[in-house]
Amino acid sequence: MFELKWVYEFILIIYGLSLIGYFIDFIQNNRKANKTAFWLLCMVWVIQTLFLLFEVISDHNLPIFTFTDSLFFYSWVLLTLSLIVNALFAIHFILFFINLFSFFILLLYISTKAQESFTTGGVRIVNEMLAAHISLAILSYGFFTLSFFCSLMYIVQYRILKEKKGLKWIWRLGDLKMLDRYALLAITIGVPLLLIAIILGVVWAYVSNSEFYWFDLKTAGSILVLLVYIVYLLLRVGRGYNGKRIAIYNSAAFLMLLVNFFLFSLLSNFHF
């Protein structure tokens, strides 16, 4: 397991970057992000296929007769299907969720394999999964904070323009369209990061035999924060909301983030 630890971590990192790329493409119709995500996904498929071939050659059979091995094969099947769908059809919405679920299955396989090995490398993978969960969650909060300040500057500049006061400071605040675009971009990156962080946290709790509660305040708060920002994207992209209305919503969403980070963390029985 120790020899494979870095390979597993490399796969998860590449897979995670691919998911972020597909999500950006889905929200902004960014063909460059889609192409990058596709080739990253191909890298993961090649590595998984090599693993699968090695298991078939060494065991003279498909690795499907144990729960752990079947997880890996299931993940490989989903990944293969997603590449076929990506090549033949333009269904990016379905493609993102197929790969997200495949990522979850692969993560569950790696963590379960690590737990079963009882080696130093296996224990380290489980511990590093917790570190990745915390790091990605905080990183997503960083992007949400950046988006909040873009929206805050948007509201301030909008008020200045409306009242025609302090016009000499406008150039320091930035263009309204630019602030609106950057706020959207930051949330577009932050949402998949937080989603992956939550998945990592759930899988870690499962494999580490921790006393996990779905109704723990911090857990529920993180899911609520994710849903609040998903609603932002639905309003912004799906309903066409922009300008002051969506900036005010973004500011309110940030207040929910602060409540979750500071208050719910203190009241949580599972996280502390």
Side-chain angles (χ1 to χ4, degrees):
M1 176 59 67
F2 180 76
E3 292 78 7
L4 296 177
K5 186 177 81 73
W6 298 111
V7 179
Y8 286 149
E9 291 178 351
F10 176 77
I11 292 175
L12 293 176
I13 291 172
I14 297 301
Y15 215 149
L17 291 174
S18 176
L19 288 173
I20 294 173
Y22 275 122
F23 191 78
I24 293 174
D25 173 51
F26 171 69
I27 296 298
Q28 300 187 343
N29 195 25
N30 189 320
R31 299 304 300 166
K32 185 177 180 180
N34 177 275
K35 187 176 180 180
T36 302
F38 173 76
W39 287 112
L40 289 173
L41 206 61
C42 288
M43 290 176 59
V44 176
W45 182 85
V46 169
I47 297 174
Q48 282 194 249
T49 302
L50 292 175
F51 268 79
L52 186 63
L53 290 175
F54 176 78
E55 292 291 334
V56 171
I57 294 173
S58 60
D59 296 339
H60 303 288
N61 213 332
L62 280 175
I64 57 175
F65 295 104
T66 67
F67 173 74
T68 303
D69 288 340
S70 63
L71 286 174
F72 182 84
F73 187 67
Y74 185 25
S75 173
W76 179 85
V77 169
L78 291 175
L79 181 55
T80 303
L81 290 175
S82 70
L83 291 175
I84 295 174
V85 169
N86 188 88
L88 300 179
F89 310 101
I91 316 177
H92 301 151
F93 183 77
I94 296 177
L95 192 64
F96 171 75
F97 284 103
I98 290 175
N99 284 304
L100 181 66
F101 187 68
S102 176
F103 175 81
F104 170 76
I105 297 298
L106 180 62
L107 179 63
L108 191 61
Y109 162 78
I110 292 174
S111 56
T112 304
K113 194 80 171 179
Q115 185 191 41
E116 291 175 352
S117 67
F118 294 105
T119 63
T120 302
V123 173
R124 287 182 60 187
I125 286 180
V126 175
N127 291 336
E128 288 171 6
M129 192 181 303
L130 175 61
H133 158 68
I134 298 172
S135 300
L136 288 179
I138 294 176
L139 183 60
S140 71
Y141 282 15
F143 279 103
F144 293 146
T145 304
L146 176 61
S147 177
F148 161 72
F149 280 111
C150 287
S151 293
L152 181 63
M153 288 189 290
Y154 185 101
I155 295 172
V156 171
Q157 183 170 337
Y158 181 88
R159 185 178 182 85
I160 289 175
L161 288 172
K162 188 174 182 180
E163 297 181 357
K164 298 181 179 180
K165 296 179 180 179
L167 295 178
K168 64 180 180 179
W169 298 101
I170 287 181
W171 68 274
R172 294 192 177 186
L173 296 175
D175 180 75
L176 284 177
K177 290 184 178 179
M178 180 191 71
L179 292 171
D180 190 44
R181 185 172 66 251
Y182 285 171
L184 172 63
L185 178 60
I187 291 179
T188 302
I189 298 174
V191 165
L193 285 175
L194 182 57
L195 180 59
I196 293 172
I198 292 174
I199 292 174
L200 284 168
V202 171
V203 174
W204 173 83
Y206 170 77
V207 300
S208 63
N209 296 321
S210 297
E211 196 171 1
F212 176 70
Y213 298 100
W214 280 104
F215 296 104
D216 178 80
L217 277 178
K218 179 65 174 178
T219 302
S222 297
I223 296 174
L224 181 59
V225 168
L226 177 64
L227 292 176
V228 165
Y229 281 104
I230 288 176
V231 170
Y232 170 94
L233 293 176
L234 291 175
L235 293 174
R236 181 70 172 78
V237 179
R239 300 294 296 274
Y241 282 36
N242 53 35
K244 185 181 177 181
R245 289 186 301 174
I246 202 67
I248 293 175
Y249 179 92
N250 191 18
S251 301
F254 183 71
L255 292 178
M256 179 63 220
L257 184 151
L258 292 179
V259 170
N260 180 59
F261 187 77
F262 290 104
L263 181 59
F264 288 176
S265 294
L266 296 176
L267 299 177
S268 172
N269 294 321
F270 173 70
H271 285 79
F272 291 95

